[in-house]
Amino acid sequence: MNAGEVTWLGVDVGGTFTDVVLIADGTLTTAKVPTTGEQSEGVLAGIETACESAGIDVAAVDRFRHATTAAVNAMLEGAGATTALVTTEGFADVLAIGRQDRPALYDLDARKPEPLVPPARRFEIDERTTPEGVERAVDPDAVRALADSIPEDVQSVAVSLLHAYAHPEHERAVADALEAAGEWSVSTSHEVLGTFREYERTATTVADAYVTPVIDAYMGRLTERARERGLPAPRVMQSNGGIAPAATVREHAVTTLLSGPAAGVVGASTVADADRLVTFDMGGTSADVGLVTDGTAARTTDATIAERPVGVPMVDVETVGAGGGSVGWVDAGGALRVGPESAGAEPGPACYGRGGTEPTVTDAALQLGYLGGESLGALDLDADAAEAALADLASEADLDGPVAAARGIYRVANATMTRTIRSVTVERGQDPRSFSLVAFGGAGPMHAAALADRLGIERVLVPAASGVLSAYGLLAADETHDAARTHRTRLAAADVATIEARYDDLEASVLGDASDPDRATIEREADLRYAGQSYEVTAPATDPFDPTAMRDRFHAAHERVRGYRLPDEPVELVTLRTTATIPGEEPPLSSAGTDDPHRTTRRVSFEGRYRETRVYDREGLSAGASVDGPAVVAGGESTVVVPPGWTGSVDDRGTLVLDGGGSA
């Protein structure tokens, strides 16, 4: 079966909407439906909507890929499994102690979040290993006694023993005893995150134990409902930007915490014809910003979710609470603020007509003319309700009516998102003017040109199906599996044979997770640092491992990331990393358009005043079509605002390329 004969399906669950992309015979069909409390219901409703629009049977789908917010929602809402922790004697409080950093340095009332496992469910066991070997063996009778003391309501157990990254045999013994003693799921630190740093490893293992039962139950329901409708089992986007079988993520769900944002970055890098990209995904609840350099999405192992460290590899995305549903409000000092509180899908912005009364970014966009009579997904917008909500805000903020309130919300939201883009570019030594901005999500293209003006970015790319690009990114993603293990040594004294043996073990681990090991390619990396540093820099590893070559690679990587090198300082090897990748296959798309995409005109606010502005039909813009600002390009899932001084043209892939022409 070639790519053109395959029917592709991608579903991305967001905080407000569930996005669906269906490609059959090269024809793209999209759907956007409200996200439901039980996510699988919204997923199936979106699939049925898209299939009905395309005129095909649900059972005709060949490939089903999925991004879910179930894991991150469990973390953010405190709705994960009842979890216990088993650790080495004397280390039960590592979760509470954490690091010495404070969430707000000068706030005397600042409080860290409560640990996911309270003291009553933390258990210690008398054992001890060191990086060199076993010092005190674990007593099987003590493990059985510990299992008997775990409360009956516990659903999941995290096992994180001291130095288990180097010698995991004690964790294996404890896990085996626990699995034999109860119905709970068990997460072990050497499998979840086989690296040193006790707090981060324990916190990540606890997070995995906390969300794995949630994802296991959710994926079980979704897989069963899909099977009943003749759909294949879903393959799931991981936080690292790679797809994995549902069975894999059901075992270690911590890998799905940034499932949706990762899909968006992958989709942006797939469709954009540029190697240096700032990806900007603005949905209903938040805005996510990522960076692509040399055609590769930036990744990190130092992420924080719900104020808790998670050390598994993730696409490096900064998230801010500024989405279409973000609420405008007035603080105690009388200043207008936007977000992070969101109206969500229920009741949603006031203009949704579902009982919402709080003014949001979407209400402001409707008042300013960026949105008009067209529907938003399956919703018809209520301009009167939006104006009433904005009028209430104007009165509270002492502003001159709903238009002033709308302009205030729009400017504050843009300022917030501009700061986020600066944080991933300027604050990391990157000049935003050397990047193109890829805008997607339901609200991203509406704000993109204004943000680019603020940042000096002259080129904005709005892909076809930009409103559901994260769902499209699922279809083109590679299958990716990661493994890591700490191995600390000076490069000058490195035992190459031991390092090669450990790389071989990591390679066997990632290939064991791959659906088709014969098609997988292996990439080796190493975390290194100058002696005395407290942080590492990752560099590509030679194969076979060559300490001299790795020293040179580290110097180059350190200078690129940190801005300097210390050629005379000794270099330490810290962690070995391996990634297995099975290349994805971008689905074929046929393009279509009309010679006259102009739809109508309406009054739209630019630079503080309303102007009569042309409104174009996005689906009617064929390759080679051009648009001069001021203009609005309206689509089924997103709207593009082209300010005065900007021009737009459609390339061969259907991407609307906006050129600021130095207007910033």
Side-chain angles (χ1 to χ4, degrees), residues 175-200:
D176 289 344
L178 290 172
E179 288 170 345
E183 296 297 323
W184 42 61
S185 66
V186 178
S187 297
T188 55
S189 74
H190 72 276
E191 292 182 311
V192 175
L193 185 65
T195 61
F196 82 139
R197 293 195 172 95
E198 188 70 11
Y199 170 55
E200 287 77 9

PDB file of all heavy atoms in Angstrom, residues 175-200:
ATOM      1  N   ALA A 175      10.372  -4.231  42.879  1.00  0.00           N
ATOM      2  CA  ALA A 175       9.241  -4.170  41.947  1.00  0.00           C
ATOM      3  C   ALA A 175       8.599  -5.538  41.776  1.00  0.00           C
ATOM      4  O   ALA A 175       7.361  -5.658  41.750  1.00  0.00           O
ATOM      5  CB  ALA A 175       9.709  -3.628  40.606  1.00  0.00           C
ATOM      6  N   ASP A 176       9.414  -6.575  41.662  1.00  0.00           N
ATOM      7  CA  ASP A 176       8.858  -7.927  41.509  1.00  0.00           C
ATOM      8  C   ASP A 176       8.007  -8.304  42.717  1.00  0.00           C
ATOM      9  O   ASP A 176       6.910  -8.883  42.570  1.00  0.00           O
ATOM     10  CB  ASP A 176       9.988  -8.942  41.330  1.00  0.00           C
ATOM     11  CG  ASP A 176      10.685  -8.821  39.984  1.00  0.00           C
ATOM     12  OD1 ASP A 176      10.113  -8.169  39.077  1.00  0.00           O
ATOM     13  OD2 ASP A 176      11.792  -9.361  39.837  1.00  0.00           O
ATOM     14  N   ALA A 177       8.499  -7.992  43.916  1.00  0.00           N
ATOM     15  CA  ALA A 177       7.749  -8.326  45.125  1.00  0.00           C
ATOM     16  C   ALA A 177       6.455  -7.528  45.213  1.00  0.00           C
ATOM     17  O   ALA A 177       5.404  -8.059  45.601  1.00  0.00           O
ATOM     18  CB  ALA A 177       8.618  -8.071  46.356  1.00  0.00           C
ATOM     19  N   LEU A 178       6.504  -6.257  44.855  1.00  0.00           N
ATOM     20  CA  LEU A 178       5.308  -5.426  44.905  1.00  0.00           C
ATOM     21  C   LEU A 178       4.261  -5.896  43.897  1.00  0.00           C
ATOM     22  O   LEU A 178       3.067  -5.938  44.199  1.00  0.00           O
ATOM     23  CB  LEU A 178       5.673  -3.966  44.643  1.00  0.00           C
ATOM     24  CG  LEU A 178       6.471  -3.252  45.744  1.00  0.00           C
ATOM     25  CD1 LEU A 178       6.920  -1.880  45.259  1.00  0.00           C
ATOM     26  CD2 LEU A 178       5.635  -3.119  47.012  1.00  0.00           C
ATOM     27  N   GLU A 179       4.703  -6.222  42.691  1.00  0.00           N
ATOM     28  CA  GLU A 179       3.753  -6.675  41.667  1.00  0.00           C
ATOM     29  C   GLU A 179       3.105  -7.993  42.060  1.00  0.00           C
ATOM     30  O   GLU A 179       1.948  -8.255  41.713  1.00  0.00           O
ATOM     31  CB  GLU A 179       4.470  -6.793  40.324  1.00  0.00           C
ATOM     32  CG  GLU A 179       4.809  -5.423  39.723  1.00  0.00           C
ATOM     33  CD  GLU A 179       5.721  -5.519  38.519  1.00  0.00           C
ATOM     34  OE1 GLU A 179       6.324  -6.604  38.313  1.00  0.00           O
ATOM     35  OE2 GLU A 179       5.865  -4.518  37.794  1.00  0.00           O
ATOM     36  N   ALA A 180       3.843  -8.820  42.781  1.00  0.00           N
ATOM     37  CA  ALA A 180       3.265 -10.089  43.234  1.00  0.00           C
ATOM     38  C   ALA A 180       2.300  -9.898  44.395  1.00  0.00           C
ATOM     39  O   ALA A 180       1.410 -10.722  44.614  1.00  0.00           O
ATOM     40  CB  ALA A 180       4.386 -11.049  43.646  1.00  0.00           C
ATOM     41  N   ALA A 181       2.450  -8.785  45.120  1.00  0.00           N
ATOM     42  CA  ALA A 181       1.662  -8.585  46.336  1.00  0.00           C
ATOM     43  C   ALA A 181       0.382  -7.793  46.129  1.00  0.00           C
ATOM     44  O   ALA A 181      -0.505  -7.819  46.989  1.00  0.00           O
ATOM     45  CB  ALA A 181       2.516  -7.886  47.394  1.00  0.00           C
ATOM     46  N   GLY A 182       0.252  -7.050  45.022  1.00  0.00           N
ATOM     47  CA  GLY A 182      -0.919  -6.193  44.852  1.00  0.00           C
ATOM     48  C   GLY A 182      -1.281  -5.966  43.405  1.00  0.00           C
ATOM     49  O   GLY A 182      -0.565  -6.372  42.487  1.00  0.00           O
ATOM     50  N   GLU A 183      -2.407  -5.254  43.196  1.00  0.00           N
ATOM     51  CA  GLU A 183      -2.913  -4.976  41.852  1.00  0.00           C
ATOM     52  C   GLU A 183      -2.398  -3.652  41.308  1.00  0.00           C
ATOM     53  O   GLU A 183      -2.731  -3.266  40.196  1.00  0.00           O
ATOM     54  CB  GLU A 183      -4.453  -4.940  41.875  1.00  0.00           C
ATOM     55  CG  GLU A 183      -5.100  -6.255  42.240  1.00  0.00           C
ATOM     56  CD  GLU A 183      -4.797  -7.346  41.226  1.00  0.00           C
ATOM     57  OE1 GLU A 183      -4.729  -7.040  40.012  1.00  0.00           O
ATOM     58  OE2 GLU A 183      -4.605  -8.505  41.639  1.00  0.00           O
ATOM     59  N   TRP A 184      -1.601  -2.945  42.085  1.00  0.00           N
ATOM     60  CA  TRP A 184      -1.127  -1.637  41.658  1.00  0.00           C
ATOM     61  C   TRP A 184      -0.111  -1.730  40.525  1.00  0.00           C
ATOM     62  O   TRP A 184       0.540  -2.766  40.334  1.00  0.00           O
ATOM     63  CB  TRP A 184      -0.519  -0.890  42.836  1.00  0.00           C
ATOM     64  CG  TRP A 184       0.344  -1.772  43.706  1.00  0.00           C
ATOM     65  CD1 TRP A 184       1.470  -2.448  43.369  1.00  0.00           C
ATOM     66  CD2 TRP A 184       0.080  -2.108  45.073  1.00  0.00           C
ATOM     67  NE1 TRP A 184       1.947  -3.160  44.414  1.00  0.00           N
ATOM     68  CE2 TRP A 184       1.129  -2.978  45.493  1.00  0.00           C
ATOM     69  CE3 TRP A 184      -0.897  -1.747  45.997  1.00  0.00           C
ATOM     70  CZ2 TRP A 184       1.207  -3.496  46.791  1.00  0.00           C
ATOM     71  CZ3 TRP A 184      -0.817  -2.263  47.275  1.00  0.00           C
ATOM     72  CH2 TRP A 184       0.216  -3.127  47.663  1.00  0.00           C
ATOM     73  N   SER A 185       0.013  -0.641  39.773  1.00  0.00           N
ATOM     74  CA  SER A 185       1.089  -0.554  38.792  1.00  0.00           C
ATOM     75  C   SER A 185       2.356  -0.089  39.505  1.00  0.00           C
ATOM     76  O   SER A 185       2.288   0.577  40.532  1.00  0.00           O
ATOM     77  CB  SER A 185       0.730   0.416  37.662  1.00  0.00           C
ATOM     78  OG  SER A 185       0.632   1.733  38.155  1.00  0.00           O
ATOM     79  N   VAL A 186       3.504  -0.442  38.968  1.00  0.00           N
ATOM     80  CA  VAL A 186       4.781  -0.120  39.598  1.00  0.00           C
ATOM     81  C   VAL A 186       5.682   0.581  38.586  1.00  0.00           C
ATOM     82  O   VAL A 186       5.868   0.091  37.466  1.00  0.00           O
ATOM     83  CB  VAL A 186       5.481  -1.384  40.139  1.00  0.00           C
ATOM     84  CG1 VAL A 186       6.834  -1.016  40.759  1.00  0.00           C
ATOM     85  CG2 VAL A 186       4.601  -2.089  41.168  1.00  0.00           C
ATOM     86  N   SER A 187       6.235   1.728  38.976  1.00  0.00           N
ATOM     87  CA  SER A 187       7.192   2.465  38.150  1.00  0.00           C
ATOM     88  C   SER A 187       8.534   2.460  38.858  1.00  0.00           C
ATOM     89  O   SER A 187       8.620   2.825  40.035  1.00  0.00           O
ATOM     90  CB  SER A 187       6.728   3.917  37.946  1.00  0.00           C
ATOM     91  OG  SER A 187       5.505   3.982  37.258  1.00  0.00           O
ATOM     92  N   THR A 188       9.588   2.033  38.168  1.00  0.00           N
ATOM     93  CA  THR A 188      10.925   2.009  38.753  1.00  0.00           C
ATOM     94  C   THR A 188      11.790   3.087  38.115  1.00  0.00           C
ATOM     95  O   THR A 188      11.730   3.313  36.906  1.00  0.00           O
ATOM     96  CB  THR A 188      11.590   0.640  38.555  1.00  0.00           C
ATOM     97  OG1 THR A 188      11.600   0.311  37.166  1.00  0.00           O
ATOM     98  CG2 THR A 188      10.850  -0.435  39.328  1.00  0.00           C
ATOM     99  N   SER A 189      12.624   3.729  38.931  1.00  0.00           N
ATOM    100  CA  SER A 189      13.375   4.886  38.447  1.00  0.00           C
ATOM    101  C   SER A 189      14.393   4.513  37.376  1.00  0.00           C
ATOM    102  O   SER A 189      14.649   5.301  36.465  1.00  0.00           O
ATOM    103  CB  SER A 189      14.069   5.591  39.613  1.00  0.00           C
ATOM    104  OG  SER A 189      15.180   4.856  40.085  1.00  0.00           O
ATOM    105  N   HIS A 190      14.986   3.318  37.445  1.00  0.00           N
ATOM    106  CA  HIS A 190      15.996   2.979  36.448  1.00  0.00           C
ATOM    107  C   HIS A 190      15.381   2.770  35.069  1.00  0.00           C
ATOM    108  O   HIS A 190      16.063   2.898  34.058  1.00  0.00           O
ATOM    109  CB  HIS A 190      16.782   1.732  36.869  1.00  0.00           C
ATOM    110  CG  HIS A 190      16.020   0.444  36.784  1.00  0.00           C
ATOM    111  ND1 HIS A 190      15.177   0.009  37.792  1.00  0.00           N
ATOM    112  CD2 HIS A 190      15.948  -0.501  35.819  1.00  0.00           C
ATOM    113  CE1 HIS A 190      14.646  -1.153  37.456  1.00  0.00           C
ATOM    114  NE2 HIS A 190      15.090  -1.488  36.263  1.00  0.00           N
ATOM    115  N   GLU A 191      14.062   2.484  35.010  1.00  0.00           N
ATOM    116  CA  GLU A 191      13.381   2.366  33.721  1.00  0.00           C
ATOM    117  C   GLU A 191      12.826   3.710  33.256  1.00  0.00           C
ATOM    118  O   GLU A 191      12.842   4.016  32.060  1.00  0.00           O
ATOM    119  CB  GLU A 191      12.242   1.341  33.825  1.00  0.00           C
ATOM    120  CG  GLU A 191      12.700  -0.078  34.022  1.00  0.00           C
ATOM    121  CD  GLU A 191      11.543  -1.045  34.072  1.00  0.00           C
ATOM    122  OE1 GLU A 191      10.570  -0.775  34.820  1.00  0.00           O
ATOM    123  OE2 GLU A 191      11.588  -2.070  33.374  1.00  0.00           O
ATOM    124  N   VAL A 192      12.335   4.507  34.184  1.00  0.00           N
ATOM    125  CA  VAL A 192      11.739   5.797  33.831  1.00  0.00           C
ATOM    126  C   VAL A 192      12.815   6.818  33.485  1.00  0.00           C
ATOM    127  O   VAL A 192      12.732   7.524  32.465  1.00  0.00           O
ATOM    128  CB  VAL A 192      10.851   6.320  34.979  1.00  0.00           C
ATOM    129  CG1 VAL A 192      10.338   7.726  34.667  1.00  0.00           C
ATOM    130  CG2 VAL A 192       9.679   5.374  35.215  1.00  0.00           C
ATOM    131  N   LEU A 193      13.853   6.920  34.316  1.00  0.00           N
ATOM    132  CA  LEU A 193      14.900   7.929  34.131  1.00  0.00           C
ATOM    133  C   LEU A 193      16.190   7.399  34.757  1.00  0.00           C
ATOM    134  O   LEU A 193      16.454   7.619  35.937  1.00  0.00           O
ATOM    135  CB  LEU A 193      14.489   9.254  34.788  1.00  0.00           C
ATOM    136  CG  LEU A 193      15.425  10.438  34.569  1.00  0.00           C
ATOM    137  CD1 LEU A 193      15.467  10.821  33.097  1.00  0.00           C
ATOM    138  CD2 LEU A 193      14.989  11.631  35.418  1.00  0.00           C
ATOM    139  N   GLY A 194      16.979   6.720  33.954  1.00  0.00           N
ATOM    140  CA  GLY A 194      18.181   6.069  34.467  1.00  0.00           C
ATOM    141  C   GLY A 194      19.360   7.004  34.599  1.00  0.00           C
ATOM    142  O   GLY A 194      20.457   6.688  34.120  1.00  0.00           O
ATOM    143  N   THR A 195      19.162   8.133  35.257  1.00  0.00           N
ATOM    144  CA  THR A 195      20.229   9.126  35.405  1.00  0.00           C
ATOM    145  C   THR A 195      20.366   9.531  36.865  1.00  0.00           C
ATOM    146  O   THR A 195      19.478   9.295  37.677  1.00  0.00           O
ATOM    147  CB  THR A 195      19.948  10.377  34.559  1.00  0.00           C
ATOM    148  OG1 THR A 195      18.727  10.980  34.978  1.00  0.00           O
ATOM    149  CG2 THR A 195      19.849  10.021  33.077  1.00  0.00           C
ATOM    150  N   PHE A 196      21.504  10.165  37.191  1.00  0.00           N
ATOM    151  CA  PHE A 196      21.748  10.586  38.562  1.00  0.00           C
ATOM    152  C   PHE A 196      20.945  11.846  38.873  1.00  0.00           C
ATOM    153  O   PHE A 196      20.180  12.313  38.048  1.00  0.00           O
ATOM    154  CB  PHE A 196      23.246  10.762  38.804  1.00  0.00           C
ATOM    155  CG  PHE A 196      23.831  12.063  38.350  1.00  0.00           C
ATOM    156  CD1 PHE A 196      24.769  12.720  39.136  1.00  0.00           C
ATOM    157  CD2 PHE A 196      23.486  12.650  37.127  1.00  0.00           C
ATOM    158  CE1 PHE A 196      25.332  13.920  38.735  1.00  0.00           C
ATOM    159  CE2 PHE A 196      24.047  13.840  36.713  1.00  0.00           C
ATOM    160  CZ  PHE A 196      24.971  14.487  37.525  1.00  0.00           C
ATOM    161  N   ARG A 197      21.144  12.401  40.031  1.00  0.00           N
ATOM    162  CA  ARG A 197      20.366  13.487  40.649  1.00  0.00           C
ATOM    163  C   ARG A 197      19.093  12.896  41.264  1.00  0.00           C
ATOM    164  O   ARG A 197      18.080  12.700  40.593  1.00  0.00           O
ATOM    165  CB  ARG A 197      20.052  14.627  39.684  1.00  0.00           C
ATOM    166  CG  ARG A 197      21.292  15.403  39.251  1.00  0.00           C
ATOM    167  CD  ARG A 197      20.924  16.737  38.591  1.00  0.00           C
ATOM    168  NE  ARG A 197      22.118  17.532  38.365  1.00  0.00           N
ATOM    169  CZ  ARG A 197      22.805  17.570  37.216  1.00  0.00           C
ATOM    170  NH1 ARG A 197      22.384  16.857  36.190  1.00  0.00           N
ATOM    171  NH2 ARG A 197      23.886  18.309  37.094  1.00  0.00           N
ATOM    172  N   GLU A 198      19.215  12.621  42.545  1.00  0.00           N
ATOM    173  CA  GLU A 198      18.193  11.857  43.250  1.00  0.00           C
ATOM    174  C   GLU A 198      16.815  12.519  43.202  1.00  0.00           C
ATOM    175  O   GLU A 198      15.795  11.855  42.972  1.00  0.00           O
ATOM    176  CB  GLU A 198      18.627  11.663  44.705  1.00  0.00           C
ATOM    177  CG  GLU A 198      17.735  10.726  45.506  1.00  0.00           C
ATOM    178  CD  GLU A 198      17.869   9.284  45.076  1.00  0.00           C
ATOM    179  OE1 GLU A 198      18.790   8.963  44.298  1.00  0.00           O
ATOM    180  OE2 GLU A 198      17.045   8.475  45.513  1.00  0.00           O
ATOM    181  N   TYR A 199      16.769  13.833  43.405  1.00  0.00           N
ATOM    182  CA  TYR A 199      15.469  14.504  43.454  1.00  0.00           C
ATOM    183  C   TYR A 199      14.769  14.439  42.106  1.00  0.00           C
ATOM    184  O   TYR A 199      13.591  14.061  42.021  1.00  0.00           O
ATOM    185  CB  TYR A 199      15.650  15.946  43.899  1.00  0.00           C
ATOM    186  CG  TYR A 199      14.399  16.784  43.759  1.00  0.00           C
ATOM    187  CD1 TYR A 199      13.202  16.394  44.349  1.00  0.00           C
ATOM    188  CD2 TYR A 199      14.419  17.967  43.033  1.00  0.00           C
ATOM    189  CE1 TYR A 199      12.054  17.168  44.218  1.00  0.00           C
ATOM    190  CE2 TYR A 199      13.284  18.749  42.903  1.00  0.00           C
ATOM    191  CZ  TYR A 199      12.106  18.338  43.486  1.00  0.00           C
ATOM    192  OH  TYR A 199      10.978  19.089  43.349  1.00  0.00           O
ATOM    193  N   GLU A 200      15.457  14.809  41.035  1.00  0.00           N
ATOM    194  CA  GLU A 200      14.833  14.813  39.713  1.00  0.00           C
ATOM    195  C   GLU A 200      14.405  13.408  39.294  1.00  0.00           C
ATOM    196  O   GLU A 200      13.328  13.216  38.712  1.00  0.00           O
ATOM    197  CB  GLU A 200      15.790  15.417  38.684  1.00  0.00           C
ATOM    198  CG  GLU A 200      15.955  16.922  38.790  1.00  0.00           C
ATOM    199  CD  GLU A 200      16.842  17.384  39.918  1.00  0.00           C
ATOM    200  OE1 GLU A 200      17.506  16.517  40.554  1.00  0.00           O
ATOM    201  OE2 GLU A 200      16.895  18.596  40.173  1.00  0.00           O
TER     202      GLU A 200
END
